[in-house]
Amino acid sequence: MATRTNAQVHGVYDTLKVYAFVTPEGDTIPSSNLPPVLVYGKLTREWRKYWADWTRLRNAVYVTYPYAKAAGRIMNEINAKLVNVSDRKQRKTIIKSRERELKKEFTDKLTKLSVYQGKILMKLIYRETGNNCYEIIDEYKGFISAAFWQTVAVLFGSNLKQNYDPSDRDRDMERIVVDVEKMYGYYRNG
């Protein structure tokens, strides 16, 4: 009669699989994967407001950022054409011709923006060009036109002279813009 010892029995649970991580130095460290844990908590009123505001800002940046990029590109093109032109009449002709093209392309889209999205667009234009909207209008259309549009902006609770401060006041907007640039492959010059 043959007897079997425990050493000869091989069952399913005789071997434990241990996953390991090998360090660059060659050490082996055992590791395991833990199942995911979901933690639910209630947001305070302040956090709910913060996330609602952040979501609104994110959506506004997603809508307006392509227009700000286009504005920066177009202004660079116009400035390149105006570099060697000193005649006021010729400068005006160059600006007017480009203005007609822009109105045809962007008027319908920009008139559908909300006042909030318009404020965000002005900040993003400042970010792309280094000039606030008042300075841009003043340069291309003149002081009277800039003053008129500044008055209209103030009536709607805005300001054409607002600046963009990515390190303080507009920090959240800058983070969103950087994400959008990465997502769509935009690269900043300089």
Side-chain angles (χ1 to χ4, degrees):
M1 178 173 207
T3 59
R4 293 174 43 174
T5 63
N6 286 340
Q8 295 172 338
V9 176
H10 295 288
V12 179
Y13 300 108
D14 288 347
T15 306
L16 287 175
K17 280 189 178 180
V18 177
Y19 296 98
F21 172 76
V22 179
T23 65
E25 294 82 25
D27 294 334
T28 305
I29 302 170
S31 69
S32 63
N33 295 324
L34 298 175
V37 176
L38 298 176
V39 178
Y40 296 99
K42 283 193 158 213
L43 288 176
T44 62
R45 179 175 297 155
E46 293 81 22
W47 277 108
R48 275 197 310 272
K49 181 178 177 352
Y50 171 80
W51 285 114
D53 292 345
W54 186 87
T55 302
R56 183 180 185 210
L57 176 63
R58 185 199 62 205
N59 292 341
V61 169
Y62 276 38
V63 169
T64 58
Y65 189 66
Y67 300 131
K69 288 297 284 185
R73 186 185 71 250
I74 290 164
M75 284 184 56
N76 289 336
E77 291 171 6
I78 292 172
N79 289 339
K81 288 180 182 178
L82 295 176
V83 166
N84 297 323
V85 179
S86 58
D87 181 39
R88 280 185 66 152
K89 195 170 189 175
Q90 194 175 4
R91 287 176 68 88
K92 201 171 189 175
T93 304
I94 292 170
I95 292 170
K96 276 268 193 213
S97 69
R98 196 67 176 138
E99 182 182 0
R100 272 186 241 111
E101 295 172 30
L102 293 174
K103 281 184 178 178
K104 189 186 302 180
E105 186 177 349
F106 291 110
T107 300
D108 290 339
K109 297 173 186 173
L110 293 178
T111 55
K112 293 178 182 173
L113 295 179
S114 69
V115 173
Y116 179 75
Q117 289 171 333
K119 290 178 185 179
I120 301 302
L121 178 60
M122 287 189 288
K123 286 186 178 239
L124 292 175
I125 287 173
Y126 183 92
R127 181 184 186 273
E128 293 299 314
T129 64
N131 296 321
N132 63 42
C133 290
Y134 183 86
E135 293 168 344
I136 294 168
I137 296 170
D138 186 24
E139 181 181 340
Y140 292 130
K141 301 296 284 176
F143 168 75
I144 294 173
S145 185
F148 170 77
W149 288 111
Q150 173 64 8
T151 305
V152 171
V154 169
L155 289 174
F156 282 99
S158 188
N159 182 3
L160 293 179
K161 295 180 182 180
Q162 64 185 336
N163 294 330
Y164 183 75
D165 185 11
S167 61
D168 186 31
R169 187 184 51 195
D170 298 319
R171 185 180 3 215
D172 285 342
M173 188 184 309
E174 180 66 18
R175 288 180 185 150
I176 295 167
V177 169
V178 169
D179 285 344
V180 170
E181 286 177 337
K182 288 178 187 174
M183 188 182 334
Y184 292 112
Y186 291 122
Y187 299 102
R188 287 195 51 87
N189 297 336

